[in-house]
Amino acid sequence: MGQVVEKIRLRVAEKTTLTAHVVELHLVSEAGELPPVEPGAHVEVTLRNGISRQYSVVPSSSHDEWCVAVLREADSRGGSVYIHDELAVGDVVEATEPRSLFPLEEAPEYLFLAGGIGITPFLSMIEEAERRGRPWNLVYTGKSAETMVYASSLRSRYGQRVLIHETFGRTRMDCARVISAHPRAEVYCCGPTSYIDGVRTAAETAGRKVHIEHFHGDANPQEDDQAFELELVDTGITLTVPAGRTALDVVDDAGVFVLSSCREGTCGTCETPVLSGEIDHRDVVLSPEEKAENSRIMLCVSRAAAGTPRVRIEL
Ligand code: FES
């Protein structure tokens, strides 16, 4: 299972409404100094209600604070709604040290593809590309320019290098055309799952590599989910995980303790060794190679693969 991570206590110094659905938090350390943040890095913030969420750190004019932009999610399970409606200036949250899973590699040129709130990691990456003196372009897709946070400041600062693509009443972005227009560029993408899937397919078809940043795994039940048996070999019990419930919830109900944090497949805290049974991996923690090994499961989102009646785990 994952390790207990040291947390930093942060006070909300400022909370700013950026659009109808996005607020920006300015967080300062109660202990004084904050660790440095690499371009594209994120922090995992734990709220008073116990929920953890990951946010990219966006550039700030002060070295003494971290800024994060939080979208009110339509299907929020308590993270973004709590931040929007309850979290106030002066409140304290905890956060991990910044983690960089989306580093800006050395490249002759960059193409940044952002969908919605997926713009956030690119703000610091653009500054880094500028610092390196590398050419870059950003295609920022969203419903309308008014709802796209940071769109106007990016346009006024960087001009034509920022292309705003509004989807409201218009066609979807032609990912293949955008990618092929920048043949030398290293491609980076962040946004909702459907947006990422479109970019990934276009890149693969064109034989191009794309660096992807996910914010959460697939925590929602799927229509064809099926019940399966989960054998906790160390505990000596077998539980049934029905469709519509997570393995983690079922294990919790049985009184077996599993450390968890995000409960949406992003942090790796609930990782548990698999002894047998094929897994339908729905997390964004494991790499494709690790998923193919089938030796671990994130109990908060992943399930038995179709046709696998029983999964045996070391718990
Ligand atoms: S609790 Fe974070 S991956 Fe499961």
Side-chain angles (χ1 to χ4, degrees):
M1 279 195 283
Q3 298 164 353
V4 178
V5 179
E6 190 124 346
K7 299 276 179 74
I8 302 166
R9 282 173 61 84
L10 300 167
R11 189 168 40 77
V12 181
E14 204 179 316
K15 181 177 175 182
T16 312
T17 301
L18 298 182
T19 70
H21 299 288
V22 180
V23 294
E24 189 179 71
L25 301 178
H26 296 242
L27 303 168
V28 295
S29 168
E30 292 232 298
E33 296 223 320
L34 283 169
V37 184
E38 281 182 36
H42 69 264
V43 289
E44 187 181 307
V45 176
T46 304
L47 306 165
R48 204 186 53 201
N49 61 7
I51 289 178
S52 297
R53 292 289 177 265
Q54 296 184 346
Y55 299 107
S56 297
V57 180
V58 301
S60 159
S61 51
S62 166
H63 291 300
D64 300 330
E65 64 176 26
W66 289 339
C67 284
V68 298
V70 181
L71 171 71
R72 177 192 279 271
E73 304 267 4
D75 58 351
S76 171
R77 290 182 296 282
S80 67
V81 165
Y82 175 84
I83 288 176
H84 274 253
D85 295 349
E86 296 186 46
L87 191 70
V89 170
D91 285 353
V92 171
V93 297
E94 290 188 323
T96 57
E97 293 221 349
R99 289 173 74 199
S100 181
L101 301 178
F102 195 46
L104 191 65
E105 293 181 2
E106 283 297 339
E109 184 182 335
Y110 301 104
L111 174 62
F112 302 125
L113 302 177
I117 196 68
I119 187 64
T120 52
F122 295 125
L123 301 177
S124 56
M125 293 166 93
I126 286 171
E127 289 194 354
E128 177 64 12
E130 287 280 287
R131 198 188 61 74
R132 292 180 191 175
R134 295 286 188 274
W136 59 269
N137 286 273
L138 166 71
V139 181
Y140 181 10
T141 301
K143 280 203 184 80
S144 66
E146 304 84 68
T147 65
M148 292 160 75
V149 67
Y150 308 114
S152 61
S153 58
L154 284 165
R155 272 304 290 241
S156 57
R157 186 165 176 194
Y158 298 115
Q160 296 304 314
R161 282 185 286 173
V162 176
L163 179 69
I164 304 293
H165 183 89
E166 295 170 282
T167 55
F168 187 71
R170 299 185 194 190
T171 50
R172 291 173 68 118
M173 182 179 86
D174 184 343
C175 302
R177 196 174 56 76
V178 170
I179 291 170
S180 66
H182 301 273
R184 294 176 65 239
E186 200 76 3
V187 183
Y188 289 75
C189 172
C190 182
T193 306
S194 57
Y195 175 80
I196 288 175
D197 288 347
V199 170
R200 193 202 316 259
T201 303
E204 280 173 3
T205 306
R208 298 281 293 280
K209 179 181 167 191
V210 56
H211 305 261
I212 289 170
E213 171 84 321
H214 290 273
F215 281 115
H216 49 73
D218 201 350
N220 295 320
Q222 292 175 12
E223 239 170 53
D224 52 356
D225 280 350
Q226 293 187 346
F228 65 97
E229 289 188 337
L230 187 65
E231 184 179 338
L232 281 51
V233 173
D234 298 347
T235 314
I237 58 172
T238 299
L239 305 168
T240 300
V241 181
R245 296 206 71 204
T246 68
L248 182 61
D249 284 341
V250 171
V251 168
D252 274 349
D253 285 354
V256 180
F257 178 69
V258 175
L259 209 55
S260 65
S261 178
C262 70
R263 300 181 87 97
E264 58 177 16
T266 56
C267 69
T269 309
C270 68
E271 180 181 315
T272 304
V274 171
L275 298 171
S276 66
E278 200 184 325
I279 306 301
D280 176 1
H281 293 282
R282 298 179 183 180
D283 63 272
V284 295
V285 178
L286 301 175
S287 66
E289 295 75 26
E290 289 169 331
K291 287 178 178 171
E293 277 172 17
N294 212 49
S295 60
R296 302 175 247 176
I297 180 172
M298 301 303 151
L299 291 172
C300 63
V301 288
S302 299
R303 314 178 57 84
T308 299
R310 175 178 288 225
V311 170
R312 297 170 66 244
I313 58 174
E314 205 178 297
L315 180 67

